[in-house]
Amino acid sequence: GEALLKTLELAAVAILLALILGIIFGLFTVSGFKILEILSAIYIDIIRGTPTLTQLMIMYFVILKGQNGLLVGSLTFGLNSAAYVAEIIRAGIQAVDQGQMEGGRSLGLSYVQTMKDIILPQAIKNILPALGNEFIVLIKETSILGYVAIVDLTKVSDFVISRIFEALAPLLGTALIYYVIVKILTLGLNALERRLRQSDRR
């Protein structure tokens, strides 16, 4: 029970961090300010070009030097996922008709107001499935946290295997729990998509 709670807590913090940073860096990439675009491009390139496990090890052994495992995991997965979220946000914004921005500006709205009130709401509706998939991947990736001695679900199954010398049942149990978590998240996202589609028809 405690391991499941740790996994969910870590995933929730990482998702929140990924969403906040992903939106910021996604907006940087379409801001028109060269320095912000370069900064975002470097961040996304480095994160997407290196393995998650390597990032986790660097965070644990170098940057945070053995700090609380939950903090290390949340930061690593949040920063990692933010790069992918940023790309999803960028694609969503660029998919919205350019005339929407011009229309907002001609109505006297600032760039920020137009982005916040007109462009982003449309972009988020379009990218919701991709965002959902990214967060599902993030939850499943938390299984590698056992490498830095964080007791999550997968680490617990390792402990059980070492005690009872039987791999199948603990591993199947862990897989089932992850499956249930992902299934609940998927159903929730599907329900949210349906509600957004209904609100569009009104």
Side-chain angles (χ1 to χ4, degrees):
E2 190 183 339
L4 174 59
L5 281 175
K6 273 194 174 183
T7 298
L8 291 176
E9 188 182 339
L10 186 144
V13 174
I15 285 170
L16 184 64
L17 183 63
L19 198 54
I20 293 166
L21 288 177
I23 289 171
I24 290 168
F25 281 106
L27 290 172
F28 279 5
T29 59
V30 296
S31 65
F33 294 104
K34 207 69 184 166
I35 186 71
L36 294 181
E37 289 176 0
I38 291 168
L39 190 69
S40 182
I42 291 169
Y43 172 74
I44 291 167
D45 193 50
I46 290 170
I47 294 293
R48 292 177 71 185
T50 53
T52 309
L53 183 55
T54 305
Q55 294 166 17
L56 187 65
M57 295 296 192
I58 290 169
M59 187 69 79
Y60 188 72
F61 293 111
V62 181
I63 298 172
L64 294 179
K65 293 193 176 174
Q67 285 287 319
N68 176 278
L70 199 63
L71 174 68
V72 172
S74 300
L75 274 177
T76 305
F77 285 107
L79 289 167
N80 178 277
S81 187
Y84 295 91
V85 172
E87 283 293 272
I88 293 168
I89 296 281
R90 176 196 58 76
I93 289 169
Q94 289 178 340
V96 176
D97 192 287
Q98 187 63 36
Q100 300 273 0
M101 175 60 80
E102 291 161 8
R105 297 307 301 271
S106 68
L107 289 170
L109 298 175
S110 69
Y111 176 86
V112 173
Q113 286 173 319
T114 308
M115 186 62 77
K116 181 172 70 74
D117 298 330
I118 297 173
I119 308 295
L120 271 180
Q122 292 180 65
I124 285 169
K125 282 181 187 178
N126 295 335
I127 63 177
L128 204 57
L131 274 180
N133 287 337
E134 173 55 31
F135 295 144
I136 285 166
V137 168
L138 190 152
I139 288 170
K140 289 192 287 187
E141 277 191 340
T142 62
S143 62
I144 69 170
L145 286 173
Y147 286 103
V148 289
I150 300 165
V151 182
D152 78 327
L153 288 176
T154 308
K155 193 67 177 177
V156 168
S157 73
D158 287 345
F159 288 155
V160 174
I161 290 165
S162 68
R163 296 266 167 81
I164 66 172
F165 304 104
E166 167 57 53
L168 184 62
L171 288 173
L172 281 178
T174 302
L176 182 62
I177 292 168
Y178 272 106
Y179 176 79
V180 169
I181 293 167
V182 167
K183 196 70 180 170
I184 291 167
L185 183 61
T186 304
L187 290 171
L189 285 164
N190 289 343
L192 182 58
E193 278 183 64
R194 280 196 300 274
R195 287 195 66 172
L196 287 172
R197 278 201 299 270
Q198 285 167 2
S199 69
D200 279 348
R201 293 194 193 107
R202 284 173 192 159

